[in-house]
Amino acid sequence: MEKRYQITSESVTEGHPDKISDQVSDAILDAILAQDPQGRVAVETLVATGLILIAGQVSTSSYVDIPHVARSTVRDIGYTRAKYGFDFETCAVLTAIDEQSPDIALGVNRSLEVKMGEEVEDEELSLGAGDQGMMYGYACNETPELMPFPIVLAHRLAFRLAEVRKKGVLSYLRPDGKTQVTVDYVNDKPVRIDNIVVSAQHHPDISLDTLREDILREVINPVVPSSYRDDKTQVLVNPTGRFVIGGPQGDTGLTGRKIIVDTYGGISKHGGGCFSGKDPTKVDRSGSYAARYVAKNVVAAGLADRCEFQLAYAIGVARPVSMSIDTKGTGKIPDDEILCLVKEVFDLRPGAIIKNLKLRRPIYKKTAAYGHFGRNDPDFSWEKTDKADVLKEKAGL
């Protein structure tokens, strides 16, 4: 009997208010790490009409002009004129920054294991987890990126929407935008796109008919494979009929409010912690990157068609307090055997993750739009599949 179902995933452009907030937070992190790789950063950004508010905790030996970083980020996104509803030159930038709590630093600087007498080969490995919590990583063989097809397609549409604006192909577009894709699955394989939604902020004088024709020609057709579309595929462009007021003028933005967009489009579970604005001692970020690294290598090794990997940490403790593998019934060997291999091959202490994935670099601003996973960029070290051959050999496949 065939198993049929639908999965919907969404993405947003870099001009969406929540993504403005994510990018500002990560731009501040990058600016600090560029001068002080050991800096501790946990900042969040709120944007509203004419306002950027940045708050959080920073401990660093560097000096960063935070308002300048925020304004530069907004300028690069494209909010360069007041008529767009937000302008990098005239918006207010307020900051409320404290140092990292000494109680948190106590656990991060030296893990419980080190305090109990465990020796480590270098200082990086003495770190304890910056917080408690659970993190998930996911991979599947639906796409070359080993990501779910719906979120890959939603990100491609959002990226293309920004690209045609920035290159002047559709010069009347403005920075805010959203995309959404619904995919039909049969027996766990994507077979057809049921509907596509694109909402694009635009100049008030552009007609809806022109907008829809242009978006279909310049955004949807170049991105969406024709083999997944048929005459019943529904395409909705600006379904409200008008999207002139956008960005922070139309909706308040906040760091960490697009965590499903950032990860797997809702197909995998999510631990709940966001990534942006956090240095890699925060396992919300580094643990999630490591979990993706593990899951992707398991799938790349052919041990499973799908893999969901969960980690959990206790604050101040280096080693995960739990790990689990769920291959959704696709494993070529039992899940518990895969988990044993993962424990043997991967060192998932926060310091080891930071060291092995080279996470103390200013690489984070570009993660803050169009997804943290499935990106073909050498700085996205958690996307490597360098452990696949080792896993495959140890599994005897």
Side-chain angles (χ1 to χ4, degrees):
M1 182 177 176
E2 286 186 337
K3 182 172 72 170
R4 293 179 171 269
Y5 56 93
Q6 291 184 328
I7 292 176
T8 299
S9 294
E10 71 162 348
S11 184
V12 297
T13 66
E14 61 215 62
H16 185 280
D18 292 331
K19 279 290 141 200
I20 298 172
S21 297
D22 285 342
Q23 289 167 95
V24 168
S25 296
D26 271 339
I28 293 166
L29 171 62
D30 280 355
I32 290 170
L33 291 180
Q35 300 180 51
D36 177 15
Q38 302 297 322
R40 302 279 172 83
V41 181
V43 295
E44 298 188 18
T45 303
L46 178 146
V47 296
T49 304
L51 173 66
I52 302 173
L53 172 61
I54 300 159
Q57 295 78 41
V58 174
S59 295
T60 180
S61 60
S62 67
Y63 170 76
V64 171
D65 186 341
I66 289 178
H68 175 74
V69 171
R71 292 184 191 279
S72 297
T73 302
V74 172
R75 179 199 63 210
D76 293 345
I77 290 168
Y79 285 104
T80 56
R81 304 182 69 184
K83 64 172 61 179
Y84 297 167
F86 200 64
D87 174 29
F88 80 100
E89 291 184 301
T90 61
C91 66
V93 181
L94 306 180
T95 61
I97 304 293
D98 289 319
E99 286 190 283
Q100 183 181 63
S101 162
D103 295 344
I104 294 175
L106 190 67
V108 177
N109 294 342
R110 295 181 72 242
S111 68
L112 179 64
E113 292 93 329
V114 171
K115 292 173 184 174
M116 297 292 290
E118 181 176 306
E119 294 185 2
V120 293
E121 51 268 43
D122 65 50
E123 190 65 24
E124 189 80 275
L125 298 179
S126 68
L127 293 175
D131 203 351
Q132 71 175 41
M134 63 286 200
M135 301 86 215
Y136 287 90
Y138 183 79
C140 60
N141 59 8
E142 293 176 15
T143 62
E145 300 91 341
L146 302 186
M147 286 284 287
F149 182 60
I151 189 63
V152 167
L153 201 52
H155 283 321
R156 288 177 184 171
L157 286 166
F159 184 84
R160 177 63 180 168
L161 188 59
E163 184 178 47
V164 297
R165 169 180 62 87
K166 289 185 167 183
K167 290 183 175 180
V169 177
L170 301 179
S171 58
Y172 58 79
L173 291 179
R174 290 176 177 176
D176 200 355
K178 303 181 77 172
T179 63
Q180 183 173 284
V181 180
T182 300
V183 177
D184 289 339
Y185 280 71
V186 176
N187 296 331
D188 298 326
K189 301 294 183 183
V191 298
R192 175 183 171 274
I193 295 169
D194 185 69
N195 62 76
I196 300 164
V197 183
V198 176
S199 295
Q201 186 187 13
H202 59 89
H203 189 283
D205 294 340
I206 296 300
S207 72
L208 184 58
D209 287 342
T210 297
L211 177 71
R212 285 175 172 166
E213 290 174 6
D214 289 350
I215 293 295
L216 184 63
R217 183 185 68 254
E218 300 293 345
V219 177
I220 296 172
N221 288 344
V223 167
V224 179
S226 59
S227 58
Y228 286 91
R229 297 163 62 185
D230 57 30
D231 56 3
K232 293 183 179 179
T233 299
Q234 186 178 32
V235 176
L236 299 171
V237 176
N238 284 25
T240 66
R242 180 178 169 89
F243 187 4
V244 172
I245 299 173
Q249 184 183 23
D251 189 14
T252 301
L254 187 64
T255 298
R257 208 158 52 182
K258 285 290 177 285
I259 57 177
I260 298 301
V261 171
D262 286 342
T263 54
Y264 307 103
I267 289 177
S268 173
K269 299 183 186 73
H270 199 288
C274 76
F275 308 149
S276 291
K278 297 177 181 177
D279 75 80
T281 65
K282 280 71 174 177
V283 285
D284 281 339
R285 177 165 232 154
S286 55
S288 296
Y289 289 0
R292 163 65 176 172
Y293 182 45
V294 169
K296 187 173 183 181
N297 276 272
V298 167
V299 173
L303 273 62
D305 296 336
R306 291 183 285 163
C307 179
E308 184 179 80
F309 178 61
Q310 188 208 48
L311 280 169
Y313 291 92
I315 188 168
V317 180
R319 287 183 175 81
V321 295
S322 74
M323 299 184 215
S324 66
I325 288 272
D326 183 1
T327 64
K328 315 295 182 181
T330 69
K332 306 305 184 285
I333 60 175
D335 287 1
D336 59 346
E337 293 184 21
I338 297 176
L339 182 59
C340 287
L341 294 177
V342 166
K343 290 178 178 179
E344 182 181 348
V345 172
F346 295 89
D347 188 342
L348 295 170
R349 293 174 293 172
I353 295 169
I354 292 169
K355 181 179 179 180
N356 295 335
L357 298 182
K358 299 179 174 61
L359 297 183
R360 291 195 186 276
R361 297 173 292 150
I363 59 172
Y364 296 106
K365 180 184 175 184
K366 58 185 173 182
T367 70
Y370 312 115
H372 292 247
F373 307 121
R375 305 272 290 276
N376 184 23
D377 185 310
D379 286 333
F380 286 55
S381 53
W382 48 95
E383 292 296 314
K384 298 183 299 184
T385 54
D386 57 329
K387 302 294 186 182
D389 288 342
V390 177
L391 288 170
K392 188 174 183 178
E393 181 181 354
K394 288 182 178 293
L397 297 181

